[in-house]
Amino acid sequence: MSTTITHPSVDVVIIGAGVMGGEIAIKLALNGNKVVALEKGPYWNYATDFAISKYDEWGAQTLHKFDAPVVQQTNTQRNTSTQFAMPLRREAFRTALGFGVGGAAHHYAANYGRFDPWTYAENSNTVSRYGAAYLAAANPNNDVQDFPFTYNDYLPYYKDHEQGWGVTGPNQNPVCPNSTFPLPNHPITALGMAFQAAAESLGINNWPNPTAIASQPYMNQYGVQINACVYDGYCSCSGYPCETGAKAASDARTIPPAISAGLDLRTNAYVYRIDTSPTTGLATQVRYYDAAGNIHLQPATAIVSCIWGFLNPWMMLVSGIGAAYNPTTVTGSMGRGPNEPTGAPTRTAAGTLPIGMNNTVWAGNAAMGSYSTYDFANDNFDHTGVAVPYIGGTRNTYGGTASSPGLIAIAGAGSAANIGSTYKAAQLNRTQVLKQNVSASGAGMQLPQTTHYVDLDPHYVDIYGDPLPRYTQDYAPNSANASNDSVRLWTPVVQKMGVTITTGAAVVPGSTHEVSYGIHIRGGIRIGSDPSLSALNKWQQIWSGATNVFAAGEDTEPVGSNEQTGGTHPAAVTAHAAAEGIMMYLKSPGPLV
């Protein structure tokens, strides 16, 4: 039988101790606020928990031993509102999910980079340059919205986060003004250098790809000593954490100094509800289960939810906070506008390049050692006269290294392809390649549509009896149309590299449907300037009612970018805005906008 435990009230409760929770925790703790952070998983110690156990390929890649347990909570998914949503199980996920202090950053690729100024006014900039009719044609059921802040508004937060995270990269990217990073970029691979030379000869700008993996020893502004990457080849999104702390996550960057400043961190704490007052509408406390099944009540003056993806809107919906989105009337904002960075499938022009290299030499993740160009991303080129309207474009990256060994594969039956001496010999020499596959392809950005949303599933519940989040999402035509056009733009670069290519068939929009989801979900609890279209204002605060509730995460970003198909970097910046908003609220409670 469970026991109910009530704790003394604090200034702020943070739900989730991942990237966003860590950013907010350190700022509030250093400000002298009394803060509790609740994390549903354990506190992994990279020096002891990952030093040997991370190399367990079966456990990491197949069993997902460092991931959130789906037996505790998963989601249901469908493509349209007329379909019956089914629960997703482990093998349906396209990437590893976060669990424990540090969150999904334990096994992300740490592919970093800012959103550019265009992204922050994506709707306004598109309509201004091409017209409203163009945007409507590019994105049927269009629901694209601008950020409530500009790039320049976020610039101080960018600089502060990059210093704390130890971001690597060049300091000459004009697409994102004033982009200076604290650490130099990683060594460039042979393929990366071949691309750089070819693109430059054609007048195409390119830069080493920024990452959140330390290229050399570094101390951040919080006094945390950061170790450099050892390039051991076990990294990226396939389930591998970092055993040196070089790959940035809150457990190795922000949470330790926050604890030193007074943060009360509680692990194995599964938050399932935010209680609100029937009189004032304000949030009063959070409820969570501990590992023994006891119920804890933690009162607070302000509450901020920093849990991943569609779990942020799920938390608000099960708690009765915000106006739930209704896709029939196209009203309400909570759960509205989820979108992912890219859509599938992609059109590809592919060939091989006779460049040999040891794929483990610089194998930290798929971005290290690479060059990227943004000339054909976002609105960095004129879309007037394209064959089919689309917005955005593609950012192509060449030279990335092997992101993990990947020696284990599941097959229905044993054969020479997966067992025996021939297979073993192939694995022995798999990193000593004599040629590399090269392609000209790109996945255009997904855009929010009024037919896509997150709500509460009426049929399935989690282990505690609460409804699962239901994700209604499908591939939008914009991504396919951008991908088709990208081959035209990118083929000259690959040919200049000396590759003989074969071009695949054009992608037919609607021919493929989404059956899972990626790690970078934007929207669902988005920020904005209009409370009828957004769930949060620019300070990441609930617009009305429970105005002492805030949220931070990629799912608060209204749109994405092709210059950075991930979204952790820009989302951490909005977490800084949330921290600032919370501090303002504590001084003068009420709506901040």
Side-chain angles (χ1 to χ4, degrees):
M1 184 174 180
S2 64
T3 301
T4 299
I5 303 168
T6 301
H7 298 269
S9 185
V10 296
D11 293 328
V12 183
V13 169
I14 300 172
I15 307 172
V19 177
M20 315 309 154
E23 293 297 308
I24 295 172
I26 185 63
K27 296 305 178 186
L28 295 180
L30 291 177
N31 191 53
N33 300 115
K34 192 170 184 179
V35 184
V36 169
L38 303 173
E39 168 56 47
K40 70 178 181 180
Y43 198 132
W44 305 105
N45 183 323
Y46 68 80
T48 57
D49 292 323
F50 301 149
I52 297 176
S53 63
K54 70 165 284 183
Y55 300 102
D56 170 15
E57 293 184 31
W58 179 261
Q61 289 185 226
T62 304
L63 301 182
H64 296 265
K65 67 180 183 180
F66 298 121
D67 288 11
V70 294
V71 68
Q72 186 180 57
Q73 183 185 55
T74 182
N75 72 291
T76 65
Q77 188 154 344
R78 60 185 181 174
N79 298 136
T80 71
S81 59
T82 61
Q83 295 175 335
F84 187 91
M86 298 296 291
L88 267 68
R89 301 304 181 192
R90 176 64 66 201
E91 287 307 315
F93 297 149
R94 298 204 297 261
T95 189
L97 300 178
F99 186 58
V101 178
H106 275 309
H107 31 51
Y108 68 157
N111 185 10
Y112 248 45
R114 300 177 180 181
F115 285 171
D116 70 344
W118 176 83
T119 303
Y120 288 102
E122 207 163 287
N123 180 71
S124 299
N125 286 330
T126 301
V127 171
S128 175
R129 186 171 185 182
Y130 304 108
Y134 181 94
L135 179 56
N139 189 40
N141 305 305
N142 177 54
D143 204 19
V144 175
Q145 301 295 324
D146 292 342
F147 278 77
F149 269 143
T150 68
Y151 175 87
N152 286 335
D153 292 328
Y154 284 123
L155 188 57
Y157 304 140
Y158 267 119
K159 291 180 177 295
D160 186 80
H161 173 64
E162 289 157 0
Q163 183 183 358
W165 232 234
V167 178
T168 75
N171 298 325
Q172 74 266 28
N173 182 357
V175 175
C176 297
N178 297 305
S179 54
T180 57
F181 301 114
L183 291 176
N185 53 270
H186 295 272
I188 304 300
T189 65
L191 181 58
M193 288 186 284
F195 163 71
Q196 190 273 341
E200 190 174 78
S201 71
L202 295 174
I204 296 174
N205 301 299
N206 52 95
W207 298 273
N209 207 67
T211 76
I213 297 178
S215 57
Q216 62 188 35
Y218 172 74
M219 180 178 287
N220 70 11
Q221 69 268 43
Y222 309 123
V224 176
Q225 182 62 52
I226 298 168
N227 299 317
C229 179
V230 296
Y231 306 108
D232 66 1
Y234 284 81
C235 198
S236 196
C237 291
S238 55
Y240 295 102
C242 178
E243 81 276 25
T244 67
K247 184 161 65 171
S250 62
D251 66 302
R253 296 292 189 274
T254 52
I255 291 296
I259 292 174
S260 297
L263 171 69
D264 180 359
L265 174 67
R266 300 175 197 165
T267 57
N268 301 303
Y270 182 90
V271 179
Y272 66 96
R273 197 74 84 248
I274 300 173
D275 291 338
T276 57
S277 167
T279 304
T280 65
L282 295 175
T284 57
Q285 62 189 6
V286 300
R287 294 175 175 264
Y288 68 92
Y289 296 106
D290 64 19
N294 297 311
I295 295 174
H296 293 251
L297 308 180
Q298 179 58 68
T301 303
I303 296 166
V304 54
S305 180
C306 300
I307 49 182
W308 172 85
F310 38 67
L311 296 182
N312 257 335
W314 170 84
M315 178 63 69
M316 303 302 168
L317 290 169
V318 295
S319 301
I321 296 173
Y325 177 65
N326 184 324
T328 302
T329 60
V330 194
T331 56
S333 56
M334 191 62 69
R336 180 172 184 167
N339 60 100
E340 299 188 30
T342 57
T346 59
R347 188 183 191 189
T348 302
T352 59
L353 190 65
I355 291 182
M357 62 173 291
N358 184 335
N359 268 342
T360 64
V361 172
W362 298 310
N365 68 66
M368 292 165 66
S370 64
Y371 265 86
S372 292
T373 180
Y374 313 119
D375 284 18
F376 302 124
N378 288 351
D379 206 39
N380 298 332
F381 66 101
D382 190 356
H383 289 60
T384 303
V386 297
V388 181
Y390 68 90
I391 72 169
T394 59
R395 178 204 68 179
N396 278 43
T397 298
Y398 291 86
T401 54
S403 60
S404 62
L407 302 182
I408 290 177
I410 298 176
S415 70
N418 54 43
I419 62 173
S421 58
T422 302
Y423 169 74
K424 291 178 180 179
Q427 297 308 310
L428 179 65
N429 298 316
R430 69 190 297 271
T431 61
Q432 307 297 326
V433 296
L434 299 178
K435 60 183 180 180
Q436 297 188 59
N437 295 326
V438 179
S439 64
S441 65
M445 66 170 63
Q446 284 276 69
L447 298 174
Q449 297 185 307
T450 57
T451 52
H452 297 162
Y453 55 96
V454 177
D455 65 354
L456 300 179
D457 195 290
H459 305 287
Y460 292 97
V461 298
D462 63 20
I463 196 172
Y464 303 109
D466 282 321
L468 293 179
R470 181 171 60 179
Y471 188 34
T472 303
Q473 173 86 351
D474 202 2
Y475 295 127
N478 187 81
S479 59
N481 293 331
S483 178
N484 286 336
D485 197 44
S486 73
V487 171
R488 168 184 66 86
L489 300 170
W490 282 103
T491 295
V493 184
V494 180
Q495 290 175 329
K496 186 70 174 181
M497 293 167 67
V499 179
T500 300
I501 60 175
T502 301
T503 302
V507 176
V508 178
S511 61
T512 302
H513 301 282
E514 192 161 359
V515 296
S516 182
Y517 56 81
I519 194 68
H520 298 289
I521 297 176
R522 287 81 178 255
I525 183 171
R526 61 189 182 183
I527 53 176
S529 300
D530 186 342
S532 69
L533 301 174
S534 57
L536 309 169
N537 63 30
K538 65 183 181 180
W539 299 110
Q540 314 285 128
Q541 177 192 39
I542 292 289
W543 274 107
S544 61
T547 54
N548 61 336
V549 174
F550 297 73
E554 286 188 60
D555 50 9
T556 72
E557 299 169 341
V559 291
S561 166
N562 288 133
E563 287 169 5
Q564 179 45 258
T565 53
T568 308
H569 191 175
V573 168
T574 64
H576 279 247
E580 197 164 314
I582 292 168
M583 287 187 275
M584 289 190 290
Y585 180 87
L586 293 174
K587 290 181 179 179
S588 181
L592 299 177
V593 177

